[in-house]
Amino acid sequence: MSENPEIGQFVQTGTYRTNVHVAGSGPAMLCLHGSGAGVCAWANWRTFIPAMQDRFQIIAPDLVGFGYTETPADFEFRFMDSWVDQIIALMDGLGIAKAHVVGNSFGGSLALWLAAKHPDRFERLVLMGPGGWPVRVNENLEMLWDFKPTAEHMKQAMSVMAWNQALVTDELVAMRLKACSRPGALDHFHKLFPAPRQRWLDAQCLPINVLQTISHETLLVHGRDDRVVDPQVSWNLHQHLPNSQLHTIAKCGHWTMIEHGPLFRRLVADHCSG
């Protein structure tokens, strides 16, 4: 076992190996991270995993292009199919026939694609501050995707994520900046979202008629004060997902699972145990 908590185990997924954290027992719950610079499964779910592993088997992978998942130098990203294919291969590799999905931001968009393309492989969905609805790229998302590897830029990036600025500690900034400094990490990240960036936000969106076919019980959770993804995105998705409910949290930015961890975990546990 690695002494680095960001590294779990490696599972072959096509032409590369996926770094994934697997913990606990019970119904399988797939946790998908967002798309910020330096993000990985551990960064998003490090408090969620130990709190939920007594009720669910948590599977939290680094998506290809992020974290410690091996991204081949010549890998061609296909929005959103590259990640859909990765997750299905990962589930097959782990012997998981069906799972709940909890998706954060970009991971929320991916959860919708998974449910649309492989409906029989997934149970209930939780979409937290998700993308997946056509909006313009705002200045904060533009800044996050146009990341520059300096402490100042990382602090700015972390600051727009949180309503509670006390969470943006020097330790957090240093951890995320270190993650961006691994050989090749920033090169992979910049390959994902080159300018013009509107096309990558648009590419996450399923057509309305497809959204309306997603029959999975779905919980949308959004911070009222989210400055990265407008809460209206969740409201619009809610209008077209036939079996959805929406929970909006005050004094909360884009980091629901961190800023309001106990509440978020209760909502997820109740929804996925129903």
Side-chain angles (χ1 to χ4, degrees), residues 48-126:
F48 186 88
I49 293 171
M52 298 291 280
Q53 65 184 15
D54 61 333
R55 299 183 63 174
F56 300 93
Q57 181 189 27
I58 306 297
I59 302 103
D62 290 350
L63 299 175
V64 61
F66 297 92
Y68 286 86
T69 285
E70 299 171 347
T71 305
D74 59 349
F75 190 80
E76 293 186 11
F77 292 97
R78 296 171 293 113
F79 275 71
M80 299 279 286
D81 291 330
S82 291
W83 295 286
V84 170
D85 292 347
Q86 177 192 14
I87 294 304
I88 296 301
L90 176 65
M91 291 174 66
D92 290 345
L94 292 172
I96 295 168
K98 207 163 188 176
H100 301 298
V101 189
V102 182
N104 168 36
S105 193
F106 175 79
S109 307
L110 178 55
L112 289 170
W113 278 72
L114 289 165
K117 285 184 167 284
H118 299 275
D120 295 339
R121 299 297 300 269
F122 300 99
E123 296 277 3
R124 300 193 172 206
L125 312 181
V126 179

Side-chain angles (χ1 to χ4, degrees), residues 6 33 36 38-45 61-62 66-68 176 179 182:
E6 294 179 313
H33 62 71
V39 75
C40 64
W42 184 252
N44 266 194
W45 307 111
D62 290 350
F66 297 92
Y68 286 86
R176 292 292 288 268
R182 292 194 307 272

